Amino acid sequence: MSPAFPSSAGVPSRLRAGRAALALSFLLQGTTFALLVTCIPEIQHRYGLSDGLLPVFLAAVPILAGVGSITSEQLVKRTGARAVLRVVQPGLCLSLAGVGLGDELWQLAIALGAFGLLVGALDASMNMLGVGLQHRYGRSIMIGFHAAFSLGGILGAAVAGLGSHYDLGLPLLFGTAAAVIAPLAVLVGTRFAGPAELGDAVREAAEAAARSIPWRPLLPLCLAMAFAYIADASVSNYSVKYLTDGLGSPEDVAKLSYLGYMVAMLLGRALGDRAVQRWGAVPVVRGGAALAALGFAAAAAAPAAWAGIAGFTLLGFGICAIIPQVFAAGGRLFPADSDAAVARLNLFNYVGFLIGSPLVGAIADGSSYRWALLAPMVLVLAVLPLADRFAPAPAALAPAEA
C-alpha cells in the first residue's frame, strides 16, 4: 500500500491539484455525455434513424466502450493513465462534433463508434488515475469524482435544453461544445497527477484489481449493479425521447427529464453517506430500489411532461443510493482485495448499459414507451431480495470470506 496521508492538511499541494484536475475531467466527461444522450431525438431526426434501428446504434456504444476500456488498460501499462487521459478526452469532444456534423448513416456509425471507443478508454483511465489518487490519500475520494460527473451531466443537459429552445441545430451545438470543452480538457490535463505525485500507486491499484477472488460471493452484488445500470441506461437513452414522442413535449422541455434525474443523483450522492450511517446500508438500498421503481411507474403513467419529469427525478433519488453501496459492499466482502472486487463489479456497469438500451428500445418499438419503462421497473424491484447482501459482514466471518 502506498503511504497514506491522514488529512487534507498533510496532503502535498501537487497531489491536491491533481485531485482537482481529475474532478474537472469527470465534470467535462459528464457534460459531453449528457449533450449526446439528451439530443438523441435530434440525432434520430437528422440521420433519419428508425425506431427499430435506434437501439442497435445505442447498443453499439457500450460494446465499443468495453473494447476501449480493455485497450486503454494495456496502453496505461506502457504510457500511464495520465498520458492516455490527456489524449482520449479531447478526442471524445471531437467525436461529439462528428456526430453533429454528418448527415448519412455511415457517418453516424463512424462518429458513434469513435465516441464509444473513446468514452470507454476515458472511463478506464480516469478511474485508474482516481484509484491511484485514493491510494495516495489513504481514504475514499472516488465518490467526489462521480459527483463531479453528475454535476457535468446537469450542465450538459441544461446546455442541450437551451440549444433546443433557440433551435441551434446539432452542428452548431455540438461543434461549439467541442470547441469549448476540448481546449479545457487539454488545459486540465496539464495538472493531472503523474509518477512524481503518485509513485507506484496506479500500478499497485492495478495489481490489486488483477488478483484472483471468487465470483460466487459477488454475484448478488453483480446482479444489483447490472439492474441499477439497466435503469440508468433507460433514462439516459430514452427519457427525452419518451417525453417528445410519447407525451408530445417540446424538445427543450423534454431535456428537463435527464436534468432532473442528474440533479437528484447529485443530491442523493451528497446525502447518501449520512443516510447509511443513520439507518444502515440494507434499508437505504431497499428504500432506493422501491423509490426507483416508483419513479419508473410514475413516469410510465404520466399524463403530461411535468409528471414524466417528476417521475425521472424520483428515479434518480432511488438509483443513486444503490450504485455506491454495491462497491462498498464488495469492499467489505473482500477487505484485503477491495480493488479486485470493485474492478469485477464495475464490469456490470457495461452489462447494464448493453442490456438496458436494446431492451427498452425493442419493447417500445413493439408497443409503446409506457410499456417499455415497466421492464426496467421490474428489474430494479429485483434488487429488493438482494438487499440483505449489502449488510456488513460479522467481524468474525469477514477474514474467512476474504
Side-chain angles (χ1 to χ4, degrees), residues 81-285:
R82 178 174 64 174
V84 174
L85 184 52
R86 283 174 171 174
V87 173
V88 297
Q89 188 151 44
L92 184 69
C93 299
L94 296 178
S95 69
L96 177 70
V99 172
L101 292 174
D103 52 19
E104 299 287 343
L105 277 182
W106 65 268
Q107 295 171 326
L108 177 63
I110 292 174
L112 280 181
F115 190 94
L117 287 170
L118 291 169
V119 81
L122 179 62
D123 179 59
S125 56
M126 282 199 310
N127 281 286
M128 287 180 200
L129 194 56
V131 170
L133 281 166
Q134 182 166 276
H135 273 233
R136 277 301 190 189
Y137 267 74
R139 56 186 172 85
S140 176
I141 60 173
M142 288 295 291
I143 292 176
F145 295 136
H146 290 276
F149 176 88
S150 298
L151 184 59
I154 294 169
L155 178 60
V159 170
L162 290 173
S164 292
H165 181 74
Y166 291 104
D167 196 23
L168 297 182
L170 289 183
L172 181 58
L173 177 63
F174 285 178
T176 302
V180 172
I181 298 174
L184 286 176
V186 172
L187 182 62
V188 167
T190 63
R191 305 293 291 176
F192 289 147
E197 296 81 22
L198 297 178
D200 292 329
V202 174
R203 179 186 57 79
E204 291 169 2
E207 290 175 354
R211 290 175 188 150
S212 178
I213 59 173
W215 272 102
R216 187 172 179 179
L218 285 176
L219 285 179
L221 299 177
C222 292
L223 288 174
M225 178 69 89
F227 295 154
Y229 272 104
I230 286 171
D232 185 75
S234 302
V235 179
S236 299
N237 291 326
Y238 289 106
S239 62
V240 176
K241 188 164 175 57
Y242 167 57
L243 262 68
T244 54
D245 293 5
L247 300 180
S249 168
E251 289 180 349
D252 54 348
V253 174
K255 287 173 175 43
L256 295 176
S257 60
Y258 188 75
L259 179 64
Y261 175 75
M262 294 305 291
V263 168
M265 291 279 280
L266 179 61
L267 293 176
R269 283 170 174 167
L271 302 174
D273 287 336
R274 294 182 182 179
V276 171
Q277 290 167 9
R278 181 170 181 177
W279 294 297
V282 173
V284 168
V285 170

